[in-house]
Amino acid sequence: MHVRGSPGTLDGFQLMGAGAAFKEEICEMIAGTRLFSDFLWSDIEILSSYMQCYQVAAGTVIFKEGTAGNYMCLLVKGDVEILKEDQLGKQCTLVSAARGKTFGEMSIIDGEVRSATCIARQDSVLLLLTKDNYARIIKEHPIVAVHILSKLAKLMSQRLRGMSGQLVEYLGHDTD
């Protein structure tokens, strides 16, 4: 299985649909995510042309810490867990994400390896936006690309602020 702009063959990923035949369903899925819920419908239609929809079974590794990352995910259905290895190599849960959440977005922005592992906790449906397809959006629809980047920057900023608060709490408890 390989779709233009898809992340290649992904173990455990079953393509549900892409392209014109599945466009309306993908639009509805995009509109149902927290990140893009306030996008204009015309922008959602553009974005839908660059995304693929996959189904994964519970236990599927969506991506693994330390591996090359070239796609972000919008969780349409299901539940995933984001894990990070500690210094001893033990997997620690950072966060669980449910329907409507976005994850893996740093890889399409910075091109670095994955900073965490993501595993489906239950059967899930994902919309994927690859780094290559985001680059195509930049060239073909620059205004939409700026809107996406703005949303991603705000999302990452909110997450960083939250983690900074958690770090302060942790450090404050460490000195007691």
Side-chain angles (χ1 to χ4, degrees):
M1 170 252 341
H2 186 76
V3 176
R4 181 177 179 205
S6 77
T9 302
L10 296 169
D11 291 336
F13 282 60
Q14 180 183 344
L15 183 66
M16 290 179 64
F22 203 63
K23 185 173 181 151
E24 187 67 28
E25 283 144 289
I26 290 178
C27 286
E28 292 293 339
M29 290 180 205
I30 293 169
T33 64
R34 190 177 231 176
L35 189 65
F36 298 115
S37 63
D38 63 349
F39 260 40
L40 295 174
W41 189 255
S42 57
D43 290 347
I44 289 173
E45 287 180 317
I46 290 168
L47 181 56
S48 73
S49 301
Y50 297 89
M51 300 185 89
Q52 296 83 39
C53 185
Y54 291 92
Q55 200 168 20
V56 296
T60 299
V61 176
I62 297 167
F63 51 78
K64 186 163 178 46
E65 182 175 354
T67 61
N70 67 343
Y71 57 90
M72 64 174 272
C73 303
L74 304 176
L75 184 59
V76 175
K77 177 184 172 194
D79 191 17
V80 300
E81 188 171 30
I82 311 291
L83 306 140
K84 181 130 180 91
E85 279 190 20
D86 66 11
Q87 293 175 342
L88 302 174
K90 180 182 176 230
Q91 292 279 351
C92 301
T93 299
L94 292 177
V95 69
S96 292
R99 180 185 182 281
K101 298 290 184 162
T102 307
F103 50 92
E105 63 283 334
M106 291 190 315
S107 70
I108 71 165
I109 302 298
D110 66 13
E112 297 292 322
V113 297
R114 299 288 187 183
S115 62
T117 296
C118 179
I119 299 174
R121 294 193 330 174
Q122 57 185 242
D123 293 352
S124 299
V125 175
L126 308 167
L127 288 172
L128 270 57
L129 176 61
T130 65
K131 184 174 181 144
D132 288 345
N133 277 351
Y134 182 64
R136 285 180 51 220
I137 295 170
I138 291 169
K139 289 178 188 165
E140 298 167 10
H141 302 280
I143 301 297
V144 174
V146 168
H147 290 152
I148 293 168
L149 185 59
S150 175
K151 289 293 215 172
L152 292 176
K154 184 175 181 180
L155 174 68
M156 288 188 279
S157 175
Q158 290 169 341
R159 288 182 181 164
L160 182 58
R161 288 176 191 274
M163 292 306 283
S164 295
Q166 288 177 357
L167 180 60
V168 166
E169 287 290 319
Y170 173 79
L171 292 174
H173 291 216
D174 195 35
T175 60
D176 290 342

PDB file of all heavy atoms in Angstrom, residues 138-156:
ATOM      1  N   ILE A 138       2.227  24.313   1.196  1.00  0.00           N
ATOM      2  CA  ILE A 138       2.963  25.585   1.228  1.00  0.00           C
ATOM      3  C   ILE A 138       3.081  26.167  -0.174  1.00  0.00           C
ATOM      4  O   ILE A 138       2.848  27.354  -0.395  1.00  0.00           O
ATOM      5  CB  ILE A 138       4.359  25.401   1.872  1.00  0.00           C
ATOM      6  CG1 ILE A 138       4.212  25.099   3.373  1.00  0.00           C
ATOM      7  CG2 ILE A 138       5.243  26.626   1.632  1.00  0.00           C
ATOM      8  CD1 ILE A 138       5.504  24.650   4.046  1.00  0.00           C
ATOM      9  N   LYS A 139       3.407  25.313  -1.149  1.00  0.00           N
ATOM     10  CA  LYS A 139       3.581  25.772  -2.531  1.00  0.00           C
ATOM     11  C   LYS A 139       2.262  26.090  -3.214  1.00  0.00           C
ATOM     12  O   LYS A 139       2.153  27.066  -3.946  1.00  0.00           O
ATOM     13  CB  LYS A 139       4.318  24.706  -3.346  1.00  0.00           C
ATOM     14  CG  LYS A 139       5.767  24.565  -2.994  1.00  0.00           C
ATOM     15  CD  LYS A 139       6.413  23.467  -3.813  1.00  0.00           C
ATOM     16  CE  LYS A 139       7.810  23.198  -3.304  1.00  0.00           C
ATOM     17  NZ  LYS A 139       8.347  21.944  -3.806  1.00  0.00           N
ATOM     18  N   GLU A 140       1.262  25.239  -2.991  1.00  0.00           N
ATOM     19  CA  GLU A 140       0.016  25.344  -3.740  1.00  0.00           C
ATOM     20  C   GLU A 140      -1.058  26.203  -3.070  1.00  0.00           C
ATOM     21  O   GLU A 140      -1.903  26.765  -3.757  1.00  0.00           O
ATOM     22  CB  GLU A 140      -0.528  23.931  -4.000  1.00  0.00           C
ATOM     23  CG  GLU A 140       0.422  23.089  -4.856  1.00  0.00           C
ATOM     24  CD  GLU A 140       0.076  21.606  -4.877  1.00  0.00           C
ATOM     25  OE1 GLU A 140      -1.009  21.212  -4.394  1.00  0.00           O
ATOM     26  OE2 GLU A 140       0.904  20.821  -5.386  1.00  0.00           O
ATOM     27  N   HIS A 141      -1.031  26.294  -1.748  1.00  0.00           N
ATOM     28  CA  HIS A 141      -2.033  27.054  -0.988  1.00  0.00           C
ATOM     29  C   HIS A 141      -1.346  27.742   0.200  1.00  0.00           C
ATOM     30  O   HIS A 141      -1.582  27.373   1.360  1.00  0.00           O
ATOM     31  CB  HIS A 141      -3.146  26.125  -0.490  1.00  0.00           C
ATOM     32  CG  HIS A 141      -3.851  25.389  -1.572  1.00  0.00           C
ATOM     33  ND1 HIS A 141      -4.833  25.974  -2.337  1.00  0.00           N
ATOM     34  CD2 HIS A 141      -3.695  24.131  -2.040  1.00  0.00           C
ATOM     35  CE1 HIS A 141      -5.271  25.094  -3.224  1.00  0.00           C
ATOM     36  NE2 HIS A 141      -4.590  23.972  -3.072  1.00  0.00           N
ATOM     37  N   PRO A 142      -0.490  28.734  -0.063  1.00  0.00           N
ATOM     38  CA  PRO A 142       0.302  29.337   1.017  1.00  0.00           C
ATOM     39  C   PRO A 142      -0.521  29.927   2.165  1.00  0.00           C
ATOM     40  O   PRO A 142      -0.099  29.855   3.318  1.00  0.00           O
ATOM     41  CB  PRO A 142       1.141  30.404   0.312  1.00  0.00           C
ATOM     42  CG  PRO A 142       0.557  30.559  -1.047  1.00  0.00           C
ATOM     43  CD  PRO A 142      -0.206  29.326  -1.360  1.00  0.00           C
ATOM     44  N   ILE A 143      -1.688  30.471   1.884  1.00  0.00           N
ATOM     45  CA  ILE A 143      -2.516  31.048   2.952  1.00  0.00           C
ATOM     46  C   ILE A 143      -2.991  29.944   3.904  1.00  0.00           C
ATOM     47  O   ILE A 143      -2.945  30.103   5.133  1.00  0.00           O
ATOM     48  CB  ILE A 143      -3.731  31.822   2.371  1.00  0.00           C
ATOM     49  CG1 ILE A 143      -3.279  32.955   1.461  1.00  0.00           C
ATOM     50  CG2 ILE A 143      -4.635  32.326   3.485  1.00  0.00           C
ATOM     51  CD1 ILE A 143      -2.467  34.035   2.137  1.00  0.00           C
ATOM     52  N   VAL A 144      -3.418  28.821   3.352  1.00  0.00           N
ATOM     53  CA  VAL A 144      -3.840  27.686   4.182  1.00  0.00           C
ATOM     54  C   VAL A 144      -2.648  27.164   4.979  1.00  0.00           C
ATOM     55  O   VAL A 144      -2.772  26.850   6.162  1.00  0.00           O
ATOM     56  CB  VAL A 144      -4.471  26.562   3.320  1.00  0.00           C
ATOM     57  CG1 VAL A 144      -4.778  25.330   4.155  1.00  0.00           C
ATOM     58  CG2 VAL A 144      -5.739  27.066   2.638  1.00  0.00           C
ATOM     59  N   ALA A 145      -1.474  27.101   4.344  1.00  0.00           N
ATOM     60  CA  ALA A 145      -0.262  26.644   5.033  1.00  0.00           C
ATOM     61  C   ALA A 145       0.060  27.531   6.234  1.00  0.00           C
ATOM     62  O   ALA A 145       0.434  27.034   7.302  1.00  0.00           O
ATOM     63  CB  ALA A 145       0.916  26.606   4.069  1.00  0.00           C
ATOM     64  N   VAL A 146      -0.103  28.846   6.067  1.00  0.00           N
ATOM     65  CA  VAL A 146       0.143  29.774   7.179  1.00  0.00           C
ATOM     66  C   VAL A 146      -0.870  29.536   8.300  1.00  0.00           C
ATOM     67  O   VAL A 146      -0.504  29.537   9.483  1.00  0.00           O
ATOM     68  CB  VAL A 146       0.102  31.242   6.690  1.00  0.00           C
ATOM     69  CG1 VAL A 146       0.060  32.220   7.863  1.00  0.00           C
ATOM     70  CG2 VAL A 146       1.291  31.535   5.794  1.00  0.00           C
ATOM     71  N   HIS A 147      -2.133  29.301   7.945  1.00  0.00           N
ATOM     72  CA  HIS A 147      -3.147  29.010   8.970  1.00  0.00           C
ATOM     73  C   HIS A 147      -2.798  27.739   9.734  1.00  0.00           C
ATOM     74  O   HIS A 147      -2.926  27.688  10.965  1.00  0.00           O
ATOM     75  CB  HIS A 147      -4.541  28.869   8.348  1.00  0.00           C
ATOM     76  CG  HIS A 147      -5.105  30.143   7.834  1.00  0.00           C
ATOM     77  ND1 HIS A 147      -6.010  30.187   6.802  1.00  0.00           N
ATOM     78  CD2 HIS A 147      -4.900  31.436   8.190  1.00  0.00           C
ATOM     79  CE1 HIS A 147      -6.335  31.437   6.558  1.00  0.00           C
ATOM     80  NE2 HIS A 147      -5.673  32.212   7.375  1.00  0.00           N
ATOM     81  N   ILE A 148      -2.359  26.706   9.022  1.00  0.00           N
ATOM     82  CA  ILE A 148      -1.973  25.449   9.671  1.00  0.00           C
ATOM     83  C   ILE A 148      -0.787  25.691  10.592  1.00  0.00           C
ATOM     84  O   ILE A 148      -0.797  25.267  11.759  1.00  0.00           O
ATOM     85  CB  ILE A 148      -1.637  24.364   8.618  1.00  0.00           C
ATOM     86  CG1 ILE A 148      -2.894  23.968   7.841  1.00  0.00           C
ATOM     87  CG2 ILE A 148      -1.010  23.136   9.291  1.00  0.00           C
ATOM     88  CD1 ILE A 148      -2.601  23.124   6.610  1.00  0.00           C
ATOM     89  N   LEU A 149       0.230  26.380  10.090  1.00  0.00           N
ATOM     90  CA  LEU A 149       1.427  26.648  10.888  1.00  0.00           C
ATOM     91  C   LEU A 149       1.086  27.468  12.129  1.00  0.00           C
ATOM     92  O   LEU A 149       1.593  27.198  13.221  1.00  0.00           O
ATOM     93  CB  LEU A 149       2.481  27.362  10.049  1.00  0.00           C
ATOM     94  CG  LEU A 149       3.825  27.585  10.724  1.00  0.00           C
ATOM     95  CD1 LEU A 149       4.459  26.272  11.161  1.00  0.00           C
ATOM     96  CD2 LEU A 149       4.756  28.346   9.780  1.00  0.00           C
ATOM     97  N   SER A 150       0.215  28.433  11.980  1.00  0.00           N
ATOM     98  CA  SER A 150      -0.210  29.245  13.115  1.00  0.00           C
ATOM     99  C   SER A 150      -0.889  28.387  14.179  1.00  0.00           C
ATOM    100  O   SER A 150      -0.618  28.522  15.381  1.00  0.00           O
ATOM    101  CB  SER A 150      -1.156  30.347  12.634  1.00  0.00           C
ATOM    102  OG  SER A 150      -1.677  31.068  13.719  1.00  0.00           O
ATOM    103  N   LYS A 151      -1.759  27.478  13.734  1.00  0.00           N
ATOM    104  CA  LYS A 151      -2.447  26.569  14.672  1.00  0.00           C
ATOM    105  C   LYS A 151      -1.446  25.657  15.374  1.00  0.00           C
ATOM    106  O   LYS A 151      -1.528  25.433  16.581  1.00  0.00           O
ATOM    107  CB  LYS A 151      -3.482  25.720  13.939  1.00  0.00           C
ATOM    108  CG  LYS A 151      -4.683  26.479  13.496  1.00  0.00           C
ATOM    109  CD  LYS A 151      -5.457  26.922  14.693  1.00  0.00           C
ATOM    110  CE  LYS A 151      -6.926  26.915  14.424  1.00  0.00           C
ATOM    111  NZ  LYS A 151      -7.684  27.152  15.620  1.00  0.00           N
ATOM    112  N   LEU A 152      -0.494  25.124  14.598  1.00  0.00           N
ATOM    113  CA  LEU A 152       0.506  24.227  15.181  1.00  0.00           C
ATOM    114  C   LEU A 152       1.405  24.971  16.166  1.00  0.00           C
ATOM    115  O   LEU A 152       1.740  24.439  17.228  1.00  0.00           O
ATOM    116  CB  LEU A 152       1.337  23.563  14.084  1.00  0.00           C
ATOM    117  CG  LEU A 152       0.591  22.570  13.199  1.00  0.00           C
ATOM    118  CD1 LEU A 152       1.494  22.060  12.081  1.00  0.00           C
ATOM    119  CD2 LEU A 152       0.016  21.419  14.004  1.00  0.00           C
ATOM    120  N   ALA A 153       1.790  26.194  15.824  1.00  0.00           N
ATOM    121  CA  ALA A 153       2.625  26.989  16.728  1.00  0.00           C
ATOM    122  C   ALA A 153       1.884  27.263  18.040  1.00  0.00           C
ATOM    123  O   ALA A 153       2.462  27.150  19.127  1.00  0.00           O
ATOM    124  CB  ALA A 153       3.027  28.305  16.062  1.00  0.00           C
ATOM    125  N   LYS A 154       0.610  27.599  17.950  1.00  0.00           N
ATOM    126  CA  LYS A 154      -0.183  27.850  19.158  1.00  0.00           C
ATOM    127  C   LYS A 154      -0.316  26.573  19.989  1.00  0.00           C
ATOM    128  O   LYS A 154      -0.155  26.609  21.217  1.00  0.00           O
ATOM    129  CB  LYS A 154      -1.566  28.379  18.773  1.00  0.00           C
ATOM    130  CG  LYS A 154      -2.408  28.760  19.967  1.00  0.00           C
ATOM    131  CD  LYS A 154      -3.727  29.382  19.549  1.00  0.00           C
ATOM    132  CE  LYS A 154      -4.524  29.761  20.784  1.00  0.00           C
ATOM    133  NZ  LYS A 154      -5.809  30.360  20.438  1.00  0.00           N
ATOM    134  N   LEU A 155      -0.569  25.455  19.330  1.00  0.00           N
ATOM    135  CA  LEU A 155      -0.688  24.178  20.029  1.00  0.00           C
ATOM    136  C   LEU A 155       0.606  23.822  20.753  1.00  0.00           C
ATOM    137  O   LEU A 155       0.591  23.475  21.942  1.00  0.00           O
ATOM    138  CB  LEU A 155      -1.045  23.069  19.028  1.00  0.00           C
ATOM    139  CG  LEU A 155      -1.080  21.644  19.557  1.00  0.00           C
ATOM    140  CD1 LEU A 155      -2.248  21.463  20.527  1.00  0.00           C
ATOM    141  CD2 LEU A 155      -1.177  20.654  18.409  1.00  0.00           C
ATOM    142  N   MET A 156       1.737  23.944  20.054  1.00  0.00           N
ATOM    143  CA  MET A 156       3.019  23.615  20.674  1.00  0.00           C
ATOM    144  C   MET A 156       3.358  24.583  21.800  1.00  0.00           C
ATOM    145  O   MET A 156       3.922  24.191  22.818  1.00  0.00           O
ATOM    146  CB  MET A 156       4.118  23.552  19.616  1.00  0.00           C
ATOM    147  CG  MET A 156       3.972  22.320  18.731  1.00  0.00           C
ATOM    148  SD  MET A 156       5.334  22.036  17.594  1.00  0.00           S
ATOM    149  CE  MET A 156       4.920  23.162  16.274  1.00  0.00           C
TER     150      MET A 156
END
